[in-house]
Amino acid sequence: MDPLDDSPESLDFPDSLDSPDSLDSPDSLDSPDSLVLHTTDNGVSWITLNRPAAMNAVTWDQRERVISLLGAASVDPAVRAVVITATGKGFCAGADLRGGQATGTASGGERVAGDVARTIRQGAQRLITAVLDCEKPVVAAVNGTAAGLGAHLALACDLVLAAESAKFIEVFVRRGLVPDGGGAYLLPRLVGPQRAKELMFFGDALRAADAERMGLVNRVVADAELSAIAKEWAERLAAGPTRALALTKHLVNASLDADRSTALAAEAWAQEINMTTRDANEGVASFVERRTPKYRGL
């Protein structure tokens, strides 16, 4: 972490996201389809945040589109892996605080009891849950600064690739806020409680190389290579046994909250379910026949 070089200016970080000036940006009139780009190629669903002028701070419409795309990926047999990335210098600067959406204030400026908790449950937490619950492997290709909810969006993914220029910031403390988007759930499970508290208490910028050493990132790559390596990883996952990967993801995620007997019981049932798939039979047959398996995601 670098407490001396993490100012908004040094990071190209838009600390005015929650100010009136940020609410009148030209992209505020664009459609969600243009602010979250989507393509499917070779079995991979590419979800790209596209508000580079705002460092890809997430609006309500963008959040709902990402949630919808992740849900669609789960049920679409043509999609076998997902990549979440962004355009410009920032991966995601967190939630766009326009109109009090993130603070739970009513339209007249008066806070109503229960609104904050409701807003968080229906907003940031739904976004992170959509990533965790997606039945296809999700790869984050972090192209730049990931702050607040943006950092948690990346860390909720199954695999995290980061460009050398990327930085991760638990920015909440800088604004006097408590972390949302599952941050206090995700971080201790990735780096332990002491490291998680250090990141959240100080809000310092964490460079990609340091994030890799701490276990937050799978691999750091040159900026120019990020898209190509993300494509390589995602297509490798897309060529794998889709249901087995989904069940493995579920087992790993669930194990963090389960005791040993519950985890082992879940593992046994996952094996039972998986052995009914064509891919499992293909994997066994290819081993016996000494050939490369050809998985179909079925």
Side-chain angles (χ1 to χ4, degrees):
M1 289 181 287
D2 187 351
L4 301 179
D5 187 30
D6 60 354
S7 66
E9 293 79 8
S10 67
L11 294 171
D12 294 323
F13 184 78
D15 62 340
S16 61
L17 285 177
D18 53 349
S19 72
D21 292 342
S22 71
L23 306 185
D24 299 322
S25 58
D27 66 14
S28 64
L29 300 178
D30 291 346
S31 70
D33 288 3
S34 67
L35 298 179
V36 179
L37 306 178
H38 179 249
T39 60
T40 300
D41 180 41
N42 205 19
V44 179
S45 172
W46 288 81
I47 301 173
T48 305
L49 303 179
N50 188 37
R51 292 185 74 212
M55 296 286 282
N56 294 302
V58 179
T59 65
W60 186 93
D61 286 341
Q62 283 179 294
R63 183 192 71 218
E64 293 304 306
R65 177 158 164 78
V66 172
I67 291 172
S68 176
L69 289 170
L70 288 166
S74 286
V75 301
D76 187 351
V79 173
R80 298 172 64 183
V82 178
V83 175
I84 299 178
T85 190
T87 59
K89 295 182 179 180
F91 174 74
C92 179
D96 190 322
L97 307 186
R98 70 181 65 209
Q101 289 183 49
T103 56
T105 54
S107 57
E110 180 180 354
R111 180 172 291 117
V112 178
D115 275 358
V116 173
R118 189 177 307 108
T119 298
I120 294 299
R121 286 196 302 268
Q122 295 178 355
Q125 290 180 357
R126 280 181 59 240
L127 176 61
I128 299 307
T129 299
V131 179
L132 294 171
D133 290 348
C134 182
E135 296 181 28
K136 308 296 168 64
V138 183
V139 178
V142 183
N143 55 298
T145 299
L149 178 60
H152 302 164
L153 175 62
L155 299 179
C157 294
D158 302 303
L159 299 172
V160 183
L161 290 169
E164 290 176 342
S165 63
K167 294 184 181 182
F168 298 81
I169 314 172
E170 287 296 317
V171 74
F172 301 95
V173 69
R174 295 186 183 185
R175 296 171 182 158
L177 300 176
V178 173
D180 64 23
Y185 173 86
L186 293 168
L187 277 171
R189 287 161 170 76
L190 292 168
V191 298
Q194 276 71 33
R195 283 289 196 180
K197 290 171 189 174
E198 180 183 356
L199 293 170
M200 291 180 168
F201 286 3
F202 292 117
D204 293 335
L206 186 69
R207 300 179 189 278
D210 294 325
E212 183 182 28
R213 282 192 287 271
M214 290 175 64
L216 291 173
V217 169
N218 291 89
R219 187 178 300 178
V220 177
V221 302
D223 287 40
E225 297 176 359
L226 180 65
S227 293
I229 295 177
K231 182 175 186 291
E232 176 189 336
W233 280 32
E235 290 185 352
R236 185 175 174 185
L237 291 167
T242 304
R243 293 309 302 164
L245 291 174
L247 289 165
T248 301
K249 173 176 179 172
H250 174 76
L251 285 175
V252 173
N253 288 349
S255 74
L256 299 172
D257 301 310
D259 57 35
R260 182 179 64 183
S261 61
T262 301
L264 293 181
E267 176 185 273
W269 277 111
Q271 292 283 0
E272 177 75 21
I273 294 168
N274 188 63
M275 287 309 297
T276 66
T277 67
R278 293 181 181 178
D279 280 350
N281 292 327
E282 166 64 8
V284 173
S286 66
F287 174 77
V288 173
E289 297 165 11
R290 299 190 177 187
R291 59 177 175 79
T292 302
K294 294 181 180 180
Y295 296 121
R296 298 169 53 194
L298 302 172

